[in-house]
Amino acid sequence: EELRIHGKGRGGLMGASMGSALEGIWSNRTRSFLTMLGIVIGIAAVIGALTLTQGVGAYITNIITSRGASTITLYGQSAQDNGGSGNTLPSLTLRDMRLLKNLPHVQGVSPDLYFQTQVTYGNQNWQTNVQGVSADFQAIQNWQLAQGLWFSRNEDSGGEAVAVIGDTAANNLFGASHTNIVGKNIHIGHQIYRIEGI
């Protein structure tokens, strides 16, 4: 005796599966439409985010390449910024500075805490602008020193009270000649600082 089994085969099974799937989609049209819409919106959002990121990156790269080496200033919150305004802007931290310094193509990063105060030496008193900066600031500003040295990274990380003063401050505190003043102590506000350079 012969036993014969008749079946649809692989192609028939695939067709039946497709038909069943289409029936399921059609019977749940609203759910299927919303699922498809969610997928389309998700894909569009990813493509939009990638396009925006690449566009901004290309724009920044174009600025840097067209201008050469550039200085970018990021502003945090000053003590006066929040006086009764209700705004709470985030302040930049030393951790932010370290993270920025680790970015590719960044050659130097420095905080710049800016205020006005009295600077004194002996009986000489001078109201001037003071900037609290890091060791990288000289290279960022490309400042040249007439005397002495810029303070080192070790002095910076150790929090040593050292200062580099400008020519105008040196003239007002030490006279027009202001020779041999590197290493002398001055008062900036209520704290004593050692002059490292001019």
Side-chain angles (χ1 to χ4, degrees), residues 89-110:
L89 299 172
S91 293
L92 298 170
T93 65
L94 290 175
R95 181 176 178 273
D96 296 328
M97 186 181 80
R98 286 191 291 270
L99 291 172
L100 288 169
K101 197 164 187 174
N102 289 332
L103 292 174
H105 309 301
V106 172
Q107 295 179 344
V109 178
S110 174

Side-chain angles (χ1 to χ4, degrees), residues 42-133:
I43 292 171
V46 169
I47 292 171
L50 288 173
T51 304
L52 182 64
T53 303
Q54 290 172 351
V56 170
Y59 176 71
I60 292 172
T61 302
N62 184 42
I63 289 174
I64 292 172
T65 53
S66 66
R67 296 182 184 177
S70 299
T71 300
I72 297 173
T73 305
L74 304 175
Y75 293 98
Q77 181 182 24
S78 72
Q80 294 85 7
D81 285 342
N82 199 27
S85 66
N87 297 327
T88 54
L89 299 172
S91 293
L92 298 170
T93 65
L94 290 175
R95 181 176 178 273
D96 296 328
M97 186 181 80
R98 286 191 291 270
L99 291 172
L100 288 169
K101 197 164 187 174
N102 289 332
L103 292 174
H105 309 301
V106 172
Q107 295 179 344
V109 178
S110 174
D112 187 0
L113 307 175
Y114 184 87
F115 56 96
Q116 275 200 343
T117 191
Q118 295 287 332
V119 178
T120 58
Y121 175 77
N123 60 356
Q124 298 300 315
N125 193 336
W126 177 245
Q127 175 85 10
T128 189
N129 298 323
V130 176
Q131 291 174 271
V133 299

Side-chain angles (χ1 to χ4, degrees), residues 17-66:
S17 296
M18 285 294 292
S20 176
L22 288 172
E23 283 178 22
I25 289 172
W26 185 251
S27 63
N28 296 299
R29 291 184 294 272
T30 306
R31 185 187 307 166
S32 301
F33 173 74
L34 291 175
T35 302
M36 183 180 68
L37 184 63
I39 291 170
V40 169
I41 291 172
I43 292 171
V46 169
I47 292 171
L50 288 173
T51 304
L52 182 64
T53 303
Q54 290 172 351
V56 170
Y59 176 71
I60 292 172
T61 302
N62 184 42
I63 289 174
I64 292 172
T65 53
S66 66

Side-chain angles (χ1 to χ4, degrees), residues 126-180:
W126 177 245
Q127 175 85 10
T128 189
N129 298 323
V130 176
Q131 291 174 271
V133 299
S134 75
D136 286 349
F137 197 73
Q138 180 192 14
I140 292 170
Q141 296 294 96
N142 195 26
W143 282 352
Q144 304 302 313
L145 296 182
Q147 295 180 38
L149 300 170
W150 192 264
F151 56 90
S152 68
R153 283 193 168 85
N154 288 337
E155 290 172 323
D156 184 9
S157 60
E160 292 192 35
V162 291
V164 176
I165 65 173
D167 192 57
T168 303
N171 286 342
N172 283 279
L173 294 173
F174 297 97
S177 62
H178 59 259
T179 55
N180 302 321

